[in-house]
Amino acid sequence: MAVCPHCGYRLRITDWKPECPECGVNLNYYKANDRLLDESEKAEVEHAKFQPKVDRAKAAYAGSWKAIMRIVLTLLPVGALFLPLANLIGKENVLDVYNYFTNDALRAGMPGGNVFNAAVLLLTLSVAMILVCLILNVMSLGRHGKGRAIALYGVMLAAAAGALIVFLIAVKAPAYTEKYGDPSAGIGAYLYILLQTVSFCWNLHVVLSGIPVKYTKCFIGGLPSEEYFGYVNDGRSKEDIRRKMLVALAELQNEAESAAEAKAGEVHA
């Protein structure tokens, strides 16, 4: 059951008027300014807490030349996939790998297909990790971002190297040599791993050296957010903080008026 915020009177269902029947205060407008200030302050606090995350995400993804270079080096290995990855029937590249996935007869005709399938799956995992890394780079400056970035790029490189190793083991089996002669990995496979290694090393450098973040200055009731949170952590009362807000807002107003007067003077001059 509702209670009058002024006198504590318990309102009944028949008390439908906006005034409290006990003290006569208007319940709709009682301390309305305080409630508006509380809502405004709450919104500014949430914004001040969320804005640094946005700033870190922007810096992590493309906020400096190092971050942009990380994107370029992450995508660069994709080009090597269109070079010959293997020498079996012909010079197979990533398009032939796709055909292998979609053609049941082709997979059925591959001797020792399970081992070869493992190599193809590892290569597919490595390619998929390129997309995953590009997406999650935006979180690389978060609390667990550094470890996550190193782990993801490490999985991408390990899957690429594993695919080549498993493939070389598979094609040395008699079943392959009898059918294809002397199958081998193509230049695209080695170049792909080389570029993946470069990408991993660059990401490691970016993680260890760091990326500068330009934080947006946020205000709460006219106070810089770091100053406001400092007062809260010190246990200052709401009334004390509000008084400081009034002083800060007055200073901001004076600065705005001075800037406007200076601009007007320049125009007249």
Side-chain angles (χ1 to χ4, degrees), residues 4-19:
C4 173
H6 180 255
C7 65
Y9 172 77
R10 288 185 172 276
L11 300 171
R12 296 169 296 182
I13 194 170
T14 55
D15 297 326
W16 53 272
K17 293 183 178 181
E19 294 80 16

Side-chain angles (χ1 to χ4, degrees), residues 148-175:
R148 183 192 302 113
I150 293 174
L152 291 175
Y153 277 82
V155 169
M156 183 168 64
L157 175 58
L164 177 60
I165 292 171
V166 172
F167 172 80
L168 292 176
I169 293 173
V171 296
K172 294 303 180 183

Side-chain angles (χ1 to χ4, degrees), residues 47-63 138 141 211-218:
H47 174 261
K49 289 181 178 179
F50 184 72
Q51 184 62 43
K53 298 179 181 179
V54 176
D55 295 334
R56 285 193 294 270
K58 290 166 62 177
Y61 199 74
V138 74
L141 293 181
I211 295 175
V213 181
K214 184 178 180 180
Y215 287 103
T216 303
K217 195 170 185 62
C218 297

Side-chain angles (χ1 to χ4, degrees), residues 88-89 105-111 173-183:
L88 291 174
I89 302 173
L106 185 62
R107 287 199 305 276
M110 184 65 65
Y176 283 91
T177 55
E178 290 175 4
K179 184 173 183 178
Y180 299 110
D182 188 19

Side-chain angles (χ1 to χ4, degrees), residues 9-159:
Y9 172 77
R10 288 185 172 276
L11 300 171
R12 296 169 296 182
I13 194 170
T14 55
D15 297 326
W16 53 272
K17 293 183 178 181
E19 294 80 16
C20 172
E22 184 70 18
C23 63
V25 72
N26 190 304
L27 301 174
N28 292 331
Y29 297 106
Y30 180 74
K31 291 188 175 180
N33 288 337
D34 288 343
R35 293 200 301 270
L36 287 173
L37 282 173
D38 288 339
E39 291 298 322
S40 175
E41 186 176 319
K42 182 180 178 182
E44 290 178 332
V45 167
E46 292 299 323
H47 174 261
K49 289 181 178 179
F50 184 72
Q51 184 62 43
K53 298 179 181 179
V54 176
D55 295 334
R56 285 193 294 270
K58 290 166 62 177
Y61 199 74
S64 70
W65 70 271
K66 290 193 293 185
I68 295 173
M69 183 63 69
R70 176 166 62 180
I71 295 175
V72 173
L73 292 178
T74 303
L75 286 171
L76 202 57
V78 175
L81 295 174
F82 293 92
L83 298 174
L85 298 175
N87 299 315
L88 291 174
I89 302 173
K91 295 184 179 296
E92 287 75 19
N93 57 25
V94 70
L95 299 178
D96 299 296
V97 173
Y98 173 78
N99 292 333
Y100 177 81
F101 265 124
T102 57
N103 192 323
D104 294 335
L106 185 62
R107 287 199 305 276
M110 184 65 65
N114 289 336
V115 179
F116 190 80
N117 288 344
V120 174
L121 289 174
L122 283 171
L123 176 62
T124 305
L125 173 62
S126 177
V127 175
M129 288 302 297
I130 293 177
L131 179 61
V132 173
C133 288
L134 286 174
I135 294 173
L136 295 186
N137 275 344
V138 74
M139 303 166 61
S140 62
L141 293 181
R143 180 178 299 178
H144 306 293
K146 291 183 177 180
R148 183 192 302 113
I150 293 174
L152 291 175
Y153 277 82
V155 169
M156 183 168 64
L157 175 58

